[in-house]
Amino acid sequence: DGAVTARIPVYFTDASCYREIPGNQECYVAVDKDQSLIFEIMEYDSSIPNAEIANEHWTQLAKDNESVNPQVLSASAVAADALPGLRPEWFKTIIVGTQEVAKFNEAARNTIRITMLILRIPEMSSELVATLNEPVSLYLATEMARCGMECTFSMTGVQESR
């Protein structure tokens, strides 16, 4: 039927309950951990080779975030059979890194760890991009730090969502 399903940690809630989300995205937030998990369907761009697609999405996200000092920690293709339930012929890649970003129009920036999975689906002219944002370090002058947010987290429990 074309539906996408994912199992996500139970502490994430649907962000559309709090704010408007673009039609091509599903966004979940863990407010008490200041984490977000975003699923985005994007147009497949055949002019970008598979080997370059992770860096392309990373660079665009850094630009969108107005990030300072974005650093890629790792990037690699995912084995064809590594993600059960997905067609092995779909190209899958993951990129992990950090970006220094400001929130709430603040001048101070927090370091955010970003894990991004890109799934290319050429026969549907689509790419599915799943992005997990987690704070690594919080600058004391930011709203997140003043609220007493934790700086390290573990992922436990799952719920099924459509």
Side-chain angles (χ1 to χ4, degrees):
D1 65 22
V4 176
T5 61
R7 293 172 57 92
I8 59 173
V10 295
Y11 52 78
F12 279 96
T13 59
D14 188 341
S16 67
C17 297
Y18 310 108
R19 63 181 175 92
E20 190 170 334
I21 305 297
N24 67 323
Q25 290 183 359
E26 292 293 330
C27 182
Y28 299 88
V29 294
V31 176
D32 61 329
K33 297 176 184 243
D34 204 50
Q35 294 176 322
S36 64
L37 179 60
I38 302 165
F39 297 93
E40 186 170 13
I41 298 174
M42 304 180 75
E43 185 174 346
Y44 178 81
D45 187 345
S46 62
S47 70
I48 303 171
N50 286 344
E52 297 173 16
I53 196 64
N55 192 56
E56 186 73 22
H57 283 289
W58 175 264
T59 301
Q60 184 60 52
L61 181 62
K63 181 179 175 184
D64 292 346
N65 285 342
E66 298 178 5
S67 174
V68 173
N69 196 28
Q71 295 184 8
V72 172
L73 303 174
S74 66
S76 61
V78 176
D81 61 350
L83 297 172
L86 297 179
R87 293 186 186 166
E89 67 270 18
W90 292 345
F91 180 77
K92 299 166 266 311
T93 186
I94 192 166
I95 188 166
V96 179
T98 58
Q99 295 184 8
E100 294 176 21
V101 298
K103 291 181 72 174
F104 313 116
N105 297 318
E106 297 175 327
R109 295 180 177 272
N110 296 310
T111 302
I112 307 298
R113 177 185 171 95
I114 298 170
T115 303
M116 182 183 292
L117 172 71
I118 299 103
L119 172 63
R120 301 192 91 187
I121 312 169
E123 68 270 20
M124 295 178 155
S125 300
S126 299
E127 294 177 354
L128 175 64
V129 180
T131 307
L132 175 65
N133 300 286
E134 309 173 87
V136 173
S137 64
L138 303 177
Y139 187 77
L140 292 177
T142 66
E143 182 65 25
M144 287 171 24
R146 285 192 297 274
C147 291
M149 296 296 182
E150 296 293 325
C151 295
T152 58
F153 311 103
S154 63
M155 307 265 289
T156 59
V158 293
Q159 72 181 24
E160 187 159 332
S161 179
R162 284 186 190 251

